[in-house]
Amino acid sequence: MENEILKVEKLNITIQKQKKVLKIVKDFDLTVKKEEIIGIVGESGSGKSMSMKAIMNILPEGVRRVANKLSLEDIDLINAGEKKYQKIRGKEIAMIFQDPMKSLDPIKRIGLQIEEVILRHSNITKKEAREKAVSLLKKAGITEAEKRIKQYPHEFSGGMRQRVMIAMALSCNPEILIADEPTTALDVTIQAQILKLLLEIQRENNMSIIFITHDMGVISKICQKVMVMYAGFVVEEGDKKEIFNNPKHPYTIALLKAVPSLDLNKKRLVAIEGKTPSLNEDFKLCPFLNRCDKKIEICNEVMPEYKYYGNKQKVKCHICYE
Ligand SMILES: Nc1ncnc2c1ncn2[C@@H]1O[C@H](COP(=O)(O)OP(=O)(O)OP(=O)(O)O)[C@@H](O)[C@H]1O
Ligand SMILES: [Mg+2]
């Protein structure tokens, strides 16, 4: 299809625990088009990061992926080895994480770390790479970049470190940026600045973004499409407007109720009642069943299939069939 950059079909992720194979992510589908911003939202442990790590082929030891399709433009990623992936990571798809300290080397100067990424993917001189690192840091909103490149990660504040990560992620002008809760650890003002920066860069570079967050408010500000995950399943996805104006899955509805009211005087947070699902469960029925206040008889009998609305919204829920 036109403009499709990344295509994932039936991605399944498993871990072997003692003698049992546990399913972490089930039948995950994703299509990313050029310049699109997709939000992935869902409770802790629902498989958001694992899905992205599977795409990047950086799953932790013992965690396995299989998929019917995993392709980036015309490159097949299912059978891509580490060598091929090294060419892709950073250059085609870059990823930033919640905790930049985990991705930065504490004993290397910031400038050197950015230069290394640049040099890995291009044939320019060290001097040119240094100049590029400075200009990237400036673009990411770091003042006195010429001086700052000589500093170490611990000399930067949390927000500044995240800017460094953004500069690094953008150094090779990737087609897609995966941002895994990049602002969660930051205070609200810094969070807003980082979001603004990401949007500016996205527009300038015609980049696509997959943005992972727990925050429906952030999704509503920046995304065009939304995917909602629960217990390793995508339970609903669609255009942002559809999801916000006409959410169909009871979990999405509950999530939206949990968004603090836009009126700041009424900061209302509704917690979703019930136990969070355990990885050890092999779901034969809807994973949200025990927390669902809208369940009907059939929910106790069979797992719902996806129901499609138009060609953009899909929901995994029995009550939506009616
Ligand atoms: N290194 C690991 N080895 C085995 N299982 C893991 C590992 N890391 C995470 N898991 C399990 O995989 C599941 C999915 O985890 P994942 O990190 O993708 O969740 P998430 O949706 O990103 O959550 P969060 O919002 O907290 O970041 C979780 O149930 C978690 O317990
Ligand atoms: Mg995560």
Side-chain angles (χ1 to χ4, degrees), residues 43-50 53 97-98 180-181 212 214:
E43 269 184 351
S44 197
S46 56
K48 306 179 296 293
S49 300
M50 283 290 183
K53 286 178 182 168
F97 298 91
Q98 178 177 339
D180 190 351
E181 303 196 43
I212 298 179
H214 288 245

Side-chain angles (χ1 to χ4, degrees), residues 2-18:
E2 216 184 319
N3 282 334
E4 283 180 5
I5 304 177
L6 179 69
K7 186 106 190 146
V8 182
E9 277 173 22
K10 285 205 185 305
L11 169 68
N12 282 272
I13 306 173
T14 52
I15 47 166
Q16 179 94 30
K17 221 176 190 182
Q18 278 117 27

